[in-house]
Amino acid sequence: MNDSIIRTQDLRFAYPDTEAGGPSVLNGVNLDIEEGSFVAVLGHNGSGKSTLAKHMNAILLPSGGAVYVSGMDTRDESKLLDIRRTVGMVFQNPDNQIVANVVEEDVAFAPENLGVPSEEIRRRVDEALKAVGMYEFRTHAPHLLSGGQKQRVAIAGVIAMAPRCIVLDEPTAMLDPVGRREVLDTIRELNRTSGVTVVLITHHMDEAAQADRLVVMSKGKVVADGAPREVFQRVEELKSYGLTVPETTELLWELRQEDGLDVPLDALSDEECAQVLYDLLTAV
Ligand SMILES: Nc1ncnc2c1ncn2[C@@H]1O[C@H](COP(=O)(O)OP(=O)(O)OP(=O)(O)O)[C@@H](O)[C@H]1O
Ligand SMILES: [Mg+2]
């Protein structure tokens, strides 16, 4: 498939530092991430999400099967730089991702390392900072920013490398609700306006609900894959993987379970859910 930016083929992985190869962490993951899509990955702690993410830009290499980034086999060492240019990674803790004392220098760091010419760097840094809404902070000290602002600077640093895909591993986990919203809006905007492919690993159902596609991991396998609206209707199955569902789905599900009411489970947004409840109350 040519339009897959990332493809994993029967991907298997065990961390080598555990005894006798250790228990398998990824047990045959087959995924095709379509270029331009916004994919969320959910899964209980230890289900293998971060391990999978690290295979998407060759931080980890498969023990079995294969991973292709824009057709390049991640085991091909000669392609490493190309792979890292194609897929950028953003991690949980923004403090660990800041390397300079001035915001714009921080954002320039990665493209400088890639040998991008200086005028081009200037242009990319400005554009990246504008894209995350941090341009006016370009001469500020990163460590004085809020968590959400720092994470947006970290995202700008990745954007400045002009990747076609960004993989974010719980980028909002350490942020307050305002920071979470800022970061999520930024990610969505990047996907929509610049067509950057986004893979978002998250524990937040409301974040996952905003993606085009939701992949659920359990014990190193993909156990559900589809539009969030469809996947979230599989309430009992998701609970069996140690997950919850969005509050809207949970409420509707309980109305069905406990009160036997004939309400749809796919009213995912607050507005849709409110409409269902309104219709229910005004129907009597
Ligand atoms: N560096 C490592 N060495 C050995 N085992 C590891 C290492 N990193 C993770 N593991 C193990 O691999 C399994 C999957 O871990 P991973 O971090 O991929 O899960 P996760 O889904 O990202 O979890 P979380 O939701 O907690 O972030 C876990 O059992 C974990 O203990
Ligand atoms: Mg993780």
Side-chain angles (χ1 to χ4, degrees):
M1 264 167 69
N2 295 330
D3 29 323
S4 292
I5 180 103
I6 295 171
R7 174 174 217 189
T8 74
Q9 213 169 45
D10 195 28
L11 169 60
R12 293 164 187 277
F13 184 78
Y15 283 96
D17 55 345
T18 47
E19 69 214 53
S24 213
V25 172
L26 297 177
N27 300 304
V29 175
N30 291 293
L31 266 184
D32 273 302
I33 309 282
E34 196 188 324
E35 178 130 37
S37 62
F38 176 4
V39 180
V41 181
L42 277 177
H44 196 256
N45 294 325
S47 57
K49 303 179 300 296
S50 295
T51 305
L52 174 63
K54 287 175 185 155
H55 278 84
M56 293 181 173
N57 78 343
I59 296 173
L60 292 175
L61 298 176
S63 315
V67 177
Y68 300 96
V69 170
S70 189
M72 298 176 279
D73 189 328
T74 58
R75 276 172 305 204
D76 182 349
E77 273 180 52
S78 70
K79 296 285 198 298
L80 188 62
L81 201 58
D82 248 351
I83 289 169
R84 297 268 166 90
R85 275 191 195 128
T86 306
V87 179
M89 290 276 286
V90 175
F91 298 98
Q92 200 176 90
N93 189 341
D95 289 318
N96 295 345
Q97 300 173 78
I98 286 168
V99 291
N101 295 321
V102 180
V103 165
E104 59 186 2
E105 285 171 16
D106 190 82
V107 176
F109 184 78
E112 271 166 3
N113 278 349
L114 290 177
V116 177
S118 53
E119 297 109 77
E120 169 73 6
I121 289 180
R122 179 75 261 162
R123 193 185 63 74
R124 283 199 197 180
V125 167
D126 288 351
E127 262 182 26
L129 283 170
K130 283 175 189 162
V132 302
M134 288 298 289
Y135 184 68
E136 62 269 44
F137 292 88
R138 63 194 178 281
T139 58
H140 287 224
H143 66 275
L144 297 178
L145 301 174
S146 74
Q149 290 172 328
K150 281 186 212 170
Q151 195 59 299
R152 285 188 285 151
V153 170
I155 293 172
V158 173
I159 298 172
M161 291 193 281
R164 284 158 59 198
C165 176
I166 302 188
V167 177
L168 306 105
D169 191 355
E170 298 192 46
T172 65
M174 307 186 73
L175 307 182
D176 61 18
V178 175
R180 267 183 63 197
R181 181 176 219 124
E182 289 170 1
V183 167
L184 208 75
D185 287 350
T186 302
I187 296 169
R188 267 211 332 241
E189 197 53 30
L190 268 178
N191 174 253
R192 278 196 202 146
T193 58
S194 317
V196 177
T197 309
V198 170
V199 178
L200 172 68
I201 294 168
T202 181
H203 276 289
H204 293 286
M205 304 298 143
D206 57 325
E207 294 180 2
Q210 297 181 37
D212 307 325
R213 175 179 170 196
L214 173 55
V215 170
V216 180
M217 303 268 305
S218 180
K219 299 184 179 140
K221 284 193 159 203
V222 172
V223 290
D225 185 352
R229 198 178 283 278
E230 283 148 26
V231 173
F232 280 134
Q233 289 184 55
R234 293 152 67 171
V235 177
E236 268 155 80
E237 188 188 334
L238 292 174
K239 289 185 179 197
S240 77
Y241 305 131
L243 296 172
T244 52
V245 293
E247 286 174 356
T248 46
T249 313
E250 178 70 31
L251 175 63
L252 297 168
W253 184 71
E254 282 176 16
L255 287 173
R256 284 170 78 113
Q257 290 297 112
E258 285 164 31
D259 305 301
L261 294 170
D262 183 24
V263 289
L265 275 184
D266 65 348
L268 201 49
S269 69
D270 290 351
E271 293 74 21
E272 288 166 319
C273 183
Q275 186 64 48
V276 167
L277 298 179
Y278 178 82
D279 292 346
L280 197 65
L281 290 169
T282 51
V284 256

